[in-house]
Amino acid sequence: MDIATKSIRSLPNGKTLDDLIMRETREVSLAVMNDEELYQWELENLFGMGWNLLGHESEIPDANDYVVRPMGEDLVIVARDRQGQIHVSLNVCPHRGMRVALGEEGNAPAHKCIYHGWAFRPNGDFIGAPVEKEQMHGGLCSKAELGLKKARIELYGGLIFATWNHDGPSFEEYLGDAKFYFDMLWKRTDNGLEVLGAPQKVSIDCNWKCSGEQSGGDGFHTLSLHRWLIEAGLFRSDGDDPTDLAPAMYGINVSANGHNARCIPIEGTFDIAKKMDASKMSLEDRLYKLAPPGIHKELVPQLQKHLSQEQIELLVKSPPQVGGIFPNLNFLFVYAPQPDGEVLGAMAIHIIVPKGPHRSEFWTWMFTEKDTPEETKEKMLRNAVQQVGTSGLIEQDDTDTWPHISLASRGYKGRKDMTLKYQAILGESKPEGWPGGGKVFAGFSKDDTQWEWWEAYYAAMNKTYD
Amino acid sequence: MTNLAVEKPDNLAPHTDRIPVGSPLYNQIVEHLYDEAALLDTLDLRTWQKSFTEDILYQAPVQITGRKSERLPKKRQMMHLFENYFSMEMRIHKVHDTAVCWAEEPRSRTRRLITNIRAWKTETENELSVVSYFLIPRNRFESNEYQILSGERQDRFRLIDGELKLARRNIILDMSVLSMPNLAIFL
């Protein structure tokens, strides 16, 4: 977005987006973590009119299965109908505002509101109310008008995305140049992914953006917050200088529309790849001996079918290991290469769900390829639970950090004068022959893609809807 | 999938295998659970580690709110914790032996309150089935609030040379959205 674009919106206190997001100096006022009015804009512009991840189709495999999921602070029913089609509708009764589906998950051919008995099909259509001949819904609105509010839905690699913006860009347009990279993760096998279970959910006392901006591609925090990875010997280290422990910081960060992926050369990260002298191995050899995260060796031929040669090369040399989809999705493909190809790493997706300016929920789905052998799936689940999510040895430290930032934004001086800074600039540079699009930042991971996240935030917030 | 759930005897059926409250074996179990709580509350995790078997399985399934009249969609059981001896060692190492476990540095103040202890003999001669309730208030930094977890432990203890060793622990949490931002503490 052109930096000359100016904010068309202002808060009741007179502050504009330009006062909060200082694009010339690449700073963001800490007040963004505290402001109630800004939060209400976010619910509309980002979570209402943007695309939201709601789950994966494998969570509702059978007809009439449903899950209840958040789009911002709105809860929606994500249901599969008898034809196998998935629908997303607002979980609010059009009669008197009661929550219709009461569980987090279930299976129901009709969703009947417990308050006055109005009933709805899995696709949201109004069926009727008790004592049909007395017509509880009156005579002003037709039955067709009294269904649950329906969201627009798109499936991407089985992931379910929805928005209330029926006229905006498609999800694939929204991904833009990021699609090339994300296809390597979610659209690479015949039968695709399946969840390893329901999402883990925890509550965090922080503004959702504490997690959101990190999902924009925060490389630096690995060095400090995730230092345990190095102390435990999981990440490669060189030399005695502790600040030099960071071969994993060198890679290629890509960004498009605020989405990002960190493509990290595996030799730089993992001792095992170095010991195997991976740089001298053929592509074919690498595919089997150092299979990409989540790919069992039986699935390698499928990769070759679904991905281009360029994508495969990237996947075995510098796979996207962490990244995000704007605004609140963070993904991890944690590499755990083993000589026997047995342990397959962890594949996880998080969303941070806004629950007020200073409260959020952090959700974690864990995945496997559907065609992975059953006994391997359990190993993958163990591996994922131990590394990421609620108790994950890597991620337990993130969730305990964010509340402090939220608290700091409540202070008078904190919100007035303090800024988040993204001034470590690597700059765009595309390695020769780089196959993908988007903005490409090759080298030591700096603030570039995180700043692109804030640019996307600015662009999405600087719009008004009726 | 490995079934790790500890069989819990039907509460209302008459038991011949119940270990009566107040009996010497019951008292040994209670003492063990109280001592274990103290080790965990004081983060004496290396001593605690000696109290479980090397084939330990330790897990906390994710809870889902569902309706009595409906079945849940079919999928694998997700876990908050899904541990074996090796992964427990990794966890203990991180919190006990490093200074970079930020989820517990500075450390939480916790108080494991263990109650409603019931115990049974099992079909395996040296193994006991023990069910207890827990309430764990956890306090971090200067917060004037507690992060609280309550739930049930379904344990399987093995008697080895007269000592109780934990072989299985299945933790039933009472929340579907946990009130804690992480589980960097043991339950």
Side-chain angles (χ1 to χ4, degrees):
Chain A
M1 185 180 211
D2 187 352
I3 202 161
T5 305
K6 290 293 171 209
S7 172
I8 57 167
R9 301 187 77 170
S10 59
L11 295 167
N13 63 11
K15 296 261 189 209
T16 69
L17 278 176
D18 293 311
D19 297 322
L20 298 169
I21 300 167
M22 291 148 264
R23 297 161 75 214
E24 263 143 43
T25 58
R26 300 183 29 143
E27 288 173 274
V28 177
S29 167
L30 195 52
V32 300
M33 300 299 185
N34 182 59
D35 193 280
E36 171 70 37
E37 189 75 19
L38 190 73
Y39 175 76
Q40 294 301 330
W41 287 6
E42 290 167 350
L43 289 186
E44 180 181 9
N45 283 36
L46 304 181
F47 298 98
M49 303 306 273
W51 287 101
N52 296 260
L53 176 71
L54 302 181
H56 191 266
E57 61 175 348
S58 60
E59 293 188 78
I60 43 174
D62 298 330
N64 302 325
D65 278 351
Y66 70 91
V67 290
V68 171
R69 293 289 149 85
M71 285 174 71
E73 291 210 47
D74 290 311
L75 292 183
V76 293
I77 302 171
V78 183
R80 190 184 285 276
D81 69 17
R82 270 188 298 180
Q83 285 73 44
Q85 201 76 20
I86 296 175
H87 305 269
V88 174
S89 24
L90 189 64
N91 193 14
V92 175
C93 187
H95 183 218
R96 298 282 163 84
M98 172 64 182
R99 171 175 174 151
V100 178
L102 295 179
E104 290 172 286
E105 304 194 357
N107 179 284
H111 298 279
K112 190 172 171 184
C113 180
I114 61 163
Y115 200 5
H116 302 95
W118 289 32
F120 306 89
R121 292 187 206 289
N123 70 3
D125 285 350
F126 181 43
I127 300 170
V131 202
E132 180 74 20
K133 66 177 170 124
E134 295 297 342
Q135 212 159 319
M136 200 196 291
H137 64 276
L140 289 177
C141 296
S142 71
K143 275 189 164 182
E145 292 169 277
L146 291 171
L148 302 176
K149 286 277 175 225
K150 294 181 188 186
R152 178 178 168 200
I153 170 173
E154 274 194 47
L155 294 178
Y156 173 74
L159 297 166
I160 304 164
F161 288 88
T163 178
W164 300 113
N165 187 350
H166 291 269
D167 312 312
S170 70
F171 182 71
E172 294 211 345
E173 286 167 336
Y174 177 70
L175 285 186
D177 284 333
K179 182 175 155 25
F180 172 87
Y181 306 97
F182 295 166
D183 284 355
M184 292 159 47
L185 305 176
W186 295 307
K187 298 181 76 163
R188 57 187 187 177
T189 55
D190 294 351
N191 291 312
L193 297 168
E194 81 180 17
V195 290
L196 284 165
Q200 298 174 336
K201 303 172 187 174
V202 299
S203 175
I204 310 180
D205 291 329
C206 74
N207 185 281
W208 71 273
K209 293 190 293 305
C210 297
S211 167
E213 64 87 49
Q214 193 204 76
S215 76
D218 185 340
F220 282 125
H221 87 290
T222 313
L223 283 180
S224 175
L225 194 71
H226 296 311
R227 217 189 136 67
W228 170 80
L229 281 171
I230 297 162
E231 297 218 354
L234 298 182
F235 269 21
R236 234 188 85 195
S237 62
D238 287 338
D240 300 326
D241 176 2
T243 60
D244 194 33
L245 290 173
M249 292 291 288
Y250 290 92
I252 301 101
N253 291 357
V254 294
S255 176
N257 298 354
H259 320 306
N260 79 96
R262 292 191 62 213
C263 305
I264 311 173
I266 59 167
E267 286 96 323
T269 323
F270 299 99
D271 269 332
I272 187 158
K274 196 184 176 193
K275 283 183 196 135
M276 288 171 74
D277 222 353
S279 55
K280 293 196 187 113
M281 285 160 68
S282 70
L283 270 194
E284 184 83 5
D285 237 22
R286 290 174 73 117
L287 267 173
Y288 284 95
K289 291 186 182 148
L290 289 165
I295 290 294
H296 192 269
K297 44 191 171 235
E298 286 169 26
L299 294 175
V300 168
Q302 294 189 18
L303 281 185
Q304 289 160 323
K305 193 163 114 196
H306 290 271
L307 301 178
S308 70
Q309 195 59 24
E310 291 162 325
Q311 284 172 312
I312 289 179
E313 194 166 336
L314 199 54
L315 196 57
V316 294
K317 288 186 174 169
S318 296
Q321 294 190 37
V322 55
I325 295 181
F326 182 83
N328 69 331
L329 183 156
N330 176 220
F331 66 81
L332 297 118
F333 279 67
V334 181
Y335 216 90
Q338 300 289 310
D340 59 0
E342 250 297 283
V343 176
L344 297 170
M347 298 196 287
I349 293 182
H350 302 294
I351 54 170
I352 185 96
V353 182
K355 293 278 175 188
H358 293 288
R359 205 166 81 75
S360 304
E361 281 176 14
F362 192 61
W363 291 33
T364 307
W365 286 268
M366 296 172 186
F367 292 91
T368 177
E369 296 288 343
K370 207 166 282 175
D371 290 338
T372 303
E374 279 304 313
E375 66 278 9
T376 308
K377 287 181 183 173
E378 185 175 314
K379 287 183 191 164
M380 290 188 71
L381 178 58
R382 271 183 195 283
N383 197 324
V385 167
Q386 290 162 12
Q387 297 193 60
V388 303
T390 315
S391 69
L393 281 162
I394 302 174
E395 292 192 336
Q396 57 182 210
D397 299 322
D398 288 292
T399 51
D400 213 42
T401 299
W402 300 326
H404 294 292
I405 301 165
S406 225
L407 273 177
S409 76
R410 297 170 71 150
Y412 158 74
K413 197 67 176 168
R415 67 171 188 262
K416 180 171 166 287
D417 287 345
M418 299 311 290
T419 62
L420 315 174
K421 295 173 186 65
Y422 303 86
Q423 296 166 334
I425 302 171
L426 177 62
E428 283 185 67
S429 67
K430 219 177 240 200
E432 203 177 322
W434 183 257
K439 293 188 176 179
V440 180
F441 308 93
F444 194 92
S445 177
K446 292 192 174 171
D447 294 336
D448 304 80
T449 63
Q450 264 186 303
W451 183 252
E452 292 295 323
W453 188 93
W454 282 107
E455 285 283 355
Y457 177 90
Y458 184 101
M461 291 288 281
N462 200 26
K463 284 180 186 164
T464 53
Y465 298 95
D466 294 336
Chain B
M1 189 179 173
T2 320
N3 178 18
L4 304 182
V6 175
E7 322 80 79
K8 188 173 144 190
D10 178 359
N11 292 339
L12 298 175
H15 303 296
T16 52
D17 52 356
R18 181 80 181 247
I19 300 168
V21 173
S23 65
L25 187 53
Y26 182 88
N27 290 348
Q28 185 182 356
I29 293 165
V30 173
E31 277 183 16
H32 185 91
L33 291 173
Y34 287 178
D35 289 347
E36 184 193 21
L39 293 175
L40 289 170
D41 286 339
T42 54
L43 272 191
D44 189 354
L45 300 178
R46 289 297 177 197
T47 308
W48 178 57
Q49 190 177 23
K50 291 182 195 141
S51 76
F52 47 76
T53 63
E54 292 201 359
D55 65 346
I56 187 171
L57 296 171
Y58 177 101
Q59 66 179 32
V62 163
Q63 303 297 311
I64 298 169
T65 307
R67 293 186 61 178
K68 189 163 65 177
S69 55
E70 297 175 9
R71 70 165 177 80
L72 294 178
K74 291 181 223 120
K75 57 193 157 206
R76 198 171 280 267
Q77 173 65 59
M78 180 47 65
M79 302 287 175
H80 285 296
L81 289 158
F82 198 18
E83 310 303 313
N84 52 26
Y85 193 87
F86 176 74
S87 66
M88 294 291 265
E89 163 58 30
M90 293 273 280
R91 290 182 184 283
I92 291 169
H93 172 72
K94 184 182 177 197
V95 65
H96 191 270
D97 304 334
T98 79
V100 293
C101 183
W102 306 117
E104 276 295 309
E105 168 61 24
R107 60 159 306 192
S108 304
R109 285 168 284 266
T110 58
R111 198 63 68 185
R112 287 168 182 75
L113 307 171
I114 311 295
T115 71
N116 298 52
I117 301 160
R118 293 173 296 152
W120 295 265
K121 289 179 178 158
T122 68
E123 69 293 344
T124 310
E125 202 194 323
N126 62 340
E127 289 193 358
L128 311 173
S129 170
V130 178
V131 173
S132 60
Y133 294 176
F134 64 82
L135 181 70
I136 309 180
R138 180 186 186 190
N139 184 262
R140 297 278 288 141
F141 301 100
E142 305 92 8
S143 174
N144 64 350
E145 290 173 354
Y146 296 107
Q147 299 163 1
I148 293 180
L149 277 181
S150 67
E152 176 175 307
R153 286 172 173 174
Q154 301 170 348
D155 293 339
R156 175 69 72 119
F157 283 100
R158 209 169 285 154
L159 265 170
I160 300 173
D161 299 332
E163 278 187 59
L164 291 167
K165 302 279 184 190
L166 184 65
R168 298 283 183 276
R169 173 160 290 169
N170 191 45
I171 300 149
I172 307 299
L173 296 161
D174 292 335
M175 285 179 148
S176 71
V177 182
L178 299 191
S179 63
M180 295 181 183
N182 59 50
L183 278 181
I185 59 168
F186 294 99
L187 303 174

